Amino acid sequence: RGLRDADCKHFAKRLFISVTEEEMSRGMLWRSKPNQLEGALVYRRTFQDSDIWAQEQGAGNFIDLQKLNEGSAPDLDAQMMLEGMRKMVPKYVNRREYTPLPYVTMGGLNPNVCLEHKEYLKRFADDFCVDMMKSIYAAAAKADQ
């Protein structure tokens, strides 16, 4: 088994993986299947034209960036690692994927300028509330037993 194995809990793994992968491992991958079913939520959003987003001030809040002499660009290594982590998520875990969001000027997600951003934010908030309430109800029912 290698350090990139989802089940690997070796201490040395902490020295070679990202904070995101560490959080994902502790918060989901190393939990039992029943706990994953009750408490793991995976949300995936992507952006169209990430090379244009990368030039915006504050873009690092939304995408992984690589600093270049002439500005910033999407970090392709980080994108590949994130895709690898996404493949580690068990198929039965609650997940939601959203339509790639278009670029608009005026900094990141902007519901005042872009209807698609407004619809995404509403849908994400609704989905998150529904999923979180299901998780809370499941935990409360378990505690009552």
Side-chain angles (χ1 to χ4, degrees), residues 9 11 25 29 31 39 57 59 62 81 92 117:
K9 295 181 184 179
F11 178 80
S25 294
L29 298 177
R31 298 175 77 189
Q57 182 176 355
F62 302 98
M81 290 197 62
Y92 54 81
H117 289 196

Side-chain angles (χ1 to χ4, degrees), residues 28-81:
M28 178 182 48
L29 298 177
W30 297 345
R31 298 175 77 189
S32 67
K33 184 175 180 177
N35 284 340
Q36 289 175 334
L37 287 167
E38 287 178 4
L41 307 170
V42 177
Y43 300 94
R44 180 175 188 229
R45 70 165 184 219
T46 55
F47 298 99
Q48 299 170 6
D49 305 316
S50 60
D51 53 326
I52 298 173
W53 280 88
Q55 303 307 314
E56 282 283 322
Q57 182 176 355
N61 295 331
F62 302 98
I63 58 176
D64 291 311
L65 297 177
Q66 177 182 15
K67 296 290 182 194
L68 305 171
N69 290 338
E70 62 276 357
S72 299
D75 187 331
L76 300 180
D77 289 336
Q79 288 179 4
M80 285 182 3
M81 290 197 62

